[in-house]
């Protein structure tokens, strides 16, 4: 059974706490992401490092995303160098973390979170410099999912175990 967009409520972490949304039982396939949400996310939120958004279905947190502003160098990929000739970088929205609750695998939560991020980035692009969405994939299976969604790998990213990827908002608006 798939979950629809209308079944999901999105809360900032602070608003979720105000509304007594409990996320202490959140668990995903990646223990580092689970531990991040349970132990570190609030500190990042307080220090304005990343803003955390919780995706809630029937009062249960089924996913979370962290967002921050970022940029990629225009020479990191041929498509980036075509986006600007006046700057050495292309501004974007960084998806710092994205995770879905393990019990909700295959229910469409990932797609709902992706669509929400795209909507947020398109909104931001109307008011501030935001031309791309940037993310980091931790394994090849995730890279393949993001590629199906239209993200492009930046091959010269040197941090071990991570693949930096991006998608152009102009492309998203036209498709």
């Amino acid at each position: 059974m798939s979950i629809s967009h209308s079944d999901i409520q999105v809360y900032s972490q602070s608003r979720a706490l105000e509304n007594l949304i409990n996320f202490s039982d959140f668990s995903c396939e990646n223990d580092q992401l689970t531990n991040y949400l349970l132990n570190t996310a609030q500190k990042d939120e307080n220090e304005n490092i990343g803003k955390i958004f919780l995706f809630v279905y029937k009062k249960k947190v089924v996913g979370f995303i962290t967002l921050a502003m970022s940029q990629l160098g225009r020479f990191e990929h041929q498509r980036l160098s075509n986006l600007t000739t006046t700057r050495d970088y292309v501004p974007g929205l960084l998806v710092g973390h994205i995770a879905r609750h393990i019990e909700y695998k295959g229910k469409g939560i990932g797609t709902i979170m992706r669509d929400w991020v795209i909507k947020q980035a398109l909104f931001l692009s109307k008011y501030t410099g935001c031309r791309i969405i940037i993310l980091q994939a931790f394994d090849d299976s995730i890279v393949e999912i993001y590629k199906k969604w239209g993200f492009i790998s930046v091959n010269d990213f040197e941090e071990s175990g991570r693949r930096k990827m991006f998608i152009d908002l102009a492309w998203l608006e036209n498709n």
Side-chain angles (χ1 to χ4, degrees):
M1 168 191 91
S2 241
I3 296 173
S4 74
H5 286 72
S6 61
D7 294 329
I8 296 291
Q9 292 179 295
V10 181
Y11 292 87
S12 66
Q13 186 171 10
S14 55
R15 197 172 128 233
L17 291 170
E18 289 169 7
N19 285 282
L20 304 176
I21 302 294
N22 182 6
F23 53 88
S24 64
D25 66 344
F26 182 85
S27 179
C28 68
E29 289 94 343
N30 183 320
D31 289 340
Q32 288 179 325
L33 291 173
T34 299
N35 288 332
Y36 173 80
L37 178 63
L38 300 179
N39 301 312
T40 310
Q42 186 64 51
K43 184 176 185 213
D44 281 357
E45 177 92 19
N46 292 343
E47 294 175 356
N48 209 24
I49 300 300
K51 294 299 179 186
I52 294 86
F53 296 91
L54 303 172
F55 291 73
V56 177
Y57 175 68
K58 295 184 178 178
K59 299 202 178 215
K60 181 172 180 117
V61 175
V62 296
F64 79 92
I65 291 175
T66 63
L67 299 178
M69 297 307 295
S70 189
Q71 64 189 23
L72 291 178
R74 70 180 274 234
F75 297 111
E76 290 186 61
H77 192 280
Q78 178 62 39
R79 288 201 185 171
L80 292 169
S81 66
N82 294 335
L83 296 182
T84 182
T85 57
T86 61
R87 300 272 183 231
D88 288 336
Y89 61 89
V90 179
L93 181 66
L94 173 66
V95 178
H97 300 89
I98 182 168
R100 174 229 348 105
H101 196 294
I102 196 164
E103 292 176 11
Y104 290 84
K105 185 175 184 173
K107 306 243 185 250
I109 300 300
T111 301
I112 291 169
M113 291 192 300
R114 175 207 61 199
D115 293 349
W116 183 85
V117 166
I118 291 168
K119 183 178 174 184
Q120 296 305 307
L122 290 170
F123 173 80
L124 287 171
S125 72
K126 307 250 184 283
Y127 300 98
T128 187
C130 183
R131 178 60 193 260
I132 57 178
I133 299 172
I134 306 161
L135 54 80
Q136 297 174 11
F138 290 92
D139 64 53
D140 290 338
S141 63
I142 301 297
V143 168
E144 292 308 311
I145 291 170
Y146 292 143
K147 281 184 178 179
K148 287 179 187 174
W149 288 350
F151 283 83
I152 300 165
S153 288
V154 175
N155 297 325
D156 65 346
F157 191 50
E158 295 180 12
E159 192 169 338
S160 118
R162 296 182 182 197
R163 297 269 295 282
K164 190 171 9 174
M165 302 179 81
F166 73 94
I167 193 166
D168 182 5
L169 290 175
W171 180 83
L172 289 169
E173 275 188 313
N174 296 323
N175 288 308

